Amino acid sequence: MVDTSVRFSDLLLDNPVVPASGTFGYGKEYAELYDINLLGSFSFKGTTLTPRFGNPTPRIADCTSGMINSVGLQNPGVEEVLHSVLPEMRGYFHKKVIANVCGFSIEEYVETARRLSEDESVGILEINISCPNVQHGGMSFGTDEKMAYEVTRAVKRAVKKPVMMKLTPNAPDICRIAKACEDGGADAVSLINTLLGMRIDLKSKRPVIHNIKGGFSGPAVFPIALRMVYDVYNTVRIPIMGMGGVSSAEDVIEMMLAGATAVQVGTANLKNPYACKEIIENLPKAMSFYGVDRLQNIIGEAH
Amino acid sequence: MERRVFSVIDNVRLNETVFDLRLAGDTSGITAPGQFVDLDVDGLYLRRPISICDYDEGSIRLVYKVVGKGTVIMSAFGPGKKIDLLLPLGNGFDRNKSGDRPVLIGGGVGVPPLLALAKDLMSKGKDVKVALGFNSKSDIILYRDFCEVVGEKNVFVSTVDGSFGKKGFVTAIVPDGSFCYACGPLPMLKSISEKIKMRAELSLESRMGCGFGACMGCSIMTKEGAKRVCKEGPVFDKEVLIW
């Protein structure tokens, strides 16, 4: 018997597979297909202080081995999430979840994180300082060391639960941002969010996405994500949740060898709604094949 | 929703750009005309959403226009080819609203999902009338299918260039009735919303990511808040839409 469990910050996860925020809603659509309690955990849709409709459509463009999205943090706001979404979620998911938080000012990040941290189902707060699809928020905090430090420190002071900062590959040097977050008191980092990209429709000769640019994700970004996880592992001592194009059990193992303690699966869920279930079911076989007894033991082994 | 493997029965060209793809497989999940499927197309990352034109116990029919990379690949599908589908997706038309004299309005490649709806309403003994609009005679699809289902005298056609039926937009040939079901381009739906007095359900189209409600890629704002075209739609009551 192989051991797929990993300890990530305060949480003991049955396996390191965690659906990524924005690709899994609140789990409900997937819970209709399979028992999502087999997941290590999941990171629910990014939450802001007030409700957001998000960006105008089209928000989606298909790409070779991936896609672009410009959803723009559509969510019902923290009040609705606390009072109606999470109570309903507890009916079909019984493990701790990861609450993904976004904001447009440090005060908004702090207030939203503080409110979500008081919910019993929330195990970790994932602070999204990396969304490429909103102006004056999101990524602007994740491309500047000083801002990243300030957000981390402010949120850490306001909450008791572990704080994980979600980083953008669009920063000039993701390692410096990761270090700033660690210095600010972060308990973990997750990376990478999407890469800024675009497509142009050849018939209309106009950008496909209404907002012109959006976040590129999917299998095509995996080698970039892997390299960044590898580099950040060399830079910080806090645990890393690796993500970016992960689509198979083999990808999970590779991410962990690069330095990830747990692994998020995002875009793959949208193409194959059973992706996480299949990855978890395939993990023991893949581990045996590559001579891995305990996943926890291979973290950063490639270094 | 389920993921099922279907196999191609045939994939017949209806006109220069429109194909009629019949697939064999388990259709037991389909609950209403107007629902759609999401096809995994070789070589593409995202699935392609296509409305179900017609279905029975063991097969579905997808009538689609070749408009881009995905549908170009689909047009080469041959008999026996296995295709991974998510189905059924979306809500479909609410037939309980129809009254005794429902009117179906289709425009261009929005026409197909109305065929299964017409069959369903006829089987319930309704007096069904169909108004179809196309750009030109060469774009007309499924005319004979509708004639067979509801009778030739109950099918009205318009073309923008006047090469068949009445010249002009389909909104000018809509007969009287108890309730309207429509699918077609946005300007047509908007015009129906404004000009047709009947209560109506309109089926929308949108660029989708997942097709099953997870990614929020296809959201629209309605009078009842944000809705996902793929999940709460694609069929919406005319009263909730904002133009």
Side-chain angles (χ1 to χ4, degrees):
Chain A
M1 268 298 271
V2 294
D3 182 1
T4 60
S5 68
V6 292
R7 172 161 287 283
F8 189 89
S9 187
D10 275 8
L11 298 186
L12 183 64
L13 307 176
D14 295 334
N15 61 69
V17 179
V18 175
S21 180
T23 64
F24 214 71
Y26 303 97
K28 193 177 173 185
E29 290 74 25
Y30 296 91
E32 289 169 15
L33 298 176
Y34 66 91
D35 181 4
I36 62 169
N37 289 290
L38 58 80
L39 301 167
S41 177
F42 79 87
S43 181
F44 64 75
K45 179 73 191 163
T47 303
T48 49
L49 193 57
T50 51
R52 280 181 60 84
F53 172 65
N55 293 329
T57 54
R59 299 172 171 182
I60 302 289
D62 195 21
C63 303
T64 303
S65 293
M67 66 179 283
I68 291 173
N69 91 82
S70 141
V71 171
L73 298 172
Q74 181 181 338
N75 82 95
V78 70
E79 202 62 38
E80 171 93 359
V81 168
L82 285 172
H83 291 115
S84 119
V85 177
L86 295 183
E88 187 189 356
M89 187 201 73
R90 283 192 279 276
Y92 53 80
F93 190 67
H94 315 305
K95 295 179 173 176
K96 296 285 186 198
V97 286
I98 299 172
N100 186 287
V101 177
C102 201
F104 299 86
S105 66
I106 290 181
E107 293 70 31
E108 271 191 60
Y109 274 109
V110 167
E111 183 58 13
T112 310
R114 191 186 62 72
R115 302 278 293 280
L116 286 168
S117 74
E118 285 162 8
D119 190 278
E120 55 178 298
S121 3
V122 172
I124 299 180
L125 292 146
E126 180 176 54
I127 311 300
N128 178 357
I129 52 168
S130 45
C131 179
N133 290 321
V134 292
Q135 296 273 314
H136 315 299
M139 199 169 87
S140 58
F141 291 91
T143 48
D144 180 306
E145 286 163 69
K146 192 167 174 298
M147 293 289 270
Y149 173 83
E150 295 292 342
V151 178
T152 310
R153 210 163 73 113
V155 172
K156 264 308 277 185
R157 282 182 174 173
V159 304
K160 291 196 179 69
K161 288 181 179 168
V163 170
M164 172 166 79
M165 304 303 289
K166 183 166 177 178
L167 308 184
T168 171
N170 304 307
D173 182 352
I174 198 168
C175 292
R176 295 177 71 144
I177 306 292
K179 189 73 178 67
C181 292
E182 184 178 48
D183 291 345
D187 299 283
V189 285
S190 56
L191 59 135
I192 57 174
N193 202 320
T194 54
L195 292 126
L196 205 53
M198 72 178 290
R199 296 302 307 268
I200 296 169
D201 182 79
L202 298 186
K203 276 187 186 153
S204 67
K205 301 178 177 58
R206 300 291 307 153
V208 171
I209 299 278
H210 184 279
N211 274 10
I212 302 175
K213 297 170 217 173
F216 178 48
S217 62
V221 312
F222 180 74
I224 300 169
L226 190 76
R227 185 265 294 175
M228 290 189 173
V229 167
Y230 186 91
D231 286 348
V232 169
Y233 183 82
N234 279 334
T235 311
V236 299
R237 305 187 70 87
I238 50 178
I240 300 165
M241 212 172 255
M243 80 187 94
V246 174
S247 311
S248 66
E250 288 75 10
D251 292 347
V252 170
I253 294 172
E254 201 171 337
M255 264 294 177
M256 294 185 74
L257 291 170
T261 298
V263 175
Q264 292 192 9
V265 178
T267 311
N269 293 304
L270 306 181
K271 182 180 178 67
N272 173 11
Y274 297 91
C276 285
K277 179 177 191 276
E278 290 171 4
I279 290 171
I280 291 165
E281 286 168 354
N282 290 336
L283 252 183
K285 202 168 55 184
M287 287 168 68
S288 300
F289 188 83
Y290 293 103
V292 177
D293 296 328
R294 245 193 115 211
L295 271 186
Q296 182 83 47
N297 292 346
I298 66 162
I299 299 163
E301 201 183 316
H303 290 260
Chain B
M1 171 183 76
E2 290 169 322
R3 185 179 52 177
R4 299 267 179 211
V5 175
F6 277 60
S7 64
V8 174
I9 301 168
D10 50 24
N11 189 19
V12 179
R13 178 175 280 222
L14 296 184
N15 63 33
E16 203 182 326
T17 55
V18 178
F19 285 74
D20 186 346
L21 174 64
R22 288 194 308 141
L23 301 167
D26 183 348
T27 63
S28 58
I30 299 173
T31 56
Q35 291 181 309
F36 64 99
V37 301
D38 220 358
L39 292 90
D40 196 354
V41 180
D42 314 324
L44 299 182
Y45 194 73
L46 292 175
R47 289 169 183 267
R48 292 299 189 267
I50 307 276
S51 67
I52 299 171
C53 168
D54 199 4
Y55 60 97
D56 58 26
E57 299 86 52
S59 72
I60 57 171
R61 187 174 173 197
L62 309 175
V63 173
Y64 61 94
K65 186 182 169 99
V66 174
V67 288
K69 217 169 163 183
T71 40
V72 166
I73 299 170
M74 284 173 62
S75 68
F77 286 172
K81 175 165 177 61
K82 303 276 187 260
I83 300 170
D84 181 316
L85 291 187
L86 299 179
L87 88 161
L89 300 172
N91 57 351
F93 295 104
D94 182 352
R95 286 94 79 219
N96 292 325
K97 294 177 178 171
S98 75
D100 292 332
R101 295 161 52 241
V103 176
L104 280 47
I105 309 174
V109 281
V111 164
L114 300 175
L115 185 63
L117 178 64
K119 283 188 179 174
D120 184 276
L121 292 168
M122 287 301 285
S123 75
K124 292 177 166 64
K126 308 294 182 186
D127 175 8
V128 184
K129 291 194 165 49
V130 179
L132 307 175
F134 301 94
N135 281 325
S136 181
K137 188 179 177 183
S138 60
D139 297 314
I140 294 174
I141 50 168
L142 302 174
Y143 176 69
R144 255 168 269 135
D145 296 75
F146 279 101
C147 288
E148 266 174 40
V149 175
V150 303
E152 197 171 340
K153 67 176 187 346
N154 293 317
V155 182
F156 307 87
V157 178
S158 71
T159 52
V160 175
D161 66 2
S163 52
F164 188 90
K166 193 168 163 69
K167 182 175 160 75
F169 289 113
V170 70
T171 37
I173 58 161
V174 176
D176 245 6
S178 53
F179 191 86
C180 163
Y181 297 96
C183 185
L186 268 186
M188 180 196 104
L189 298 179
K190 182 169 190 265
S191 171
I192 288 171
S193 207
E194 290 163 356
K195 292 178 186 158
I196 307 292
K197 296 248 160 34
M198 280 178 275
R199 288 184 53 216
E201 276 195 347
L202 311 178
S203 182
L204 304 186
E205 202 179 38
S206 180
R207 245 175 211 275
M208 293 175 184
C210 62
F212 53 88
C215 75
M216 313 283 164
C218 62
S219 298
I220 56 163
M221 187 49 86
T222 72
K223 290 173 187 163
E224 296 174 348
K227 303 280 181 197
R228 298 163 290 186
V229 171
C230 72
K231 188 76 178 177
E232 285 86 29
V235 179
F236 292 94
D237 197 286
K238 153 178 126 171
E239 302 304 326
V240 309
L241 295 175
I242 301 168
W243 296 99

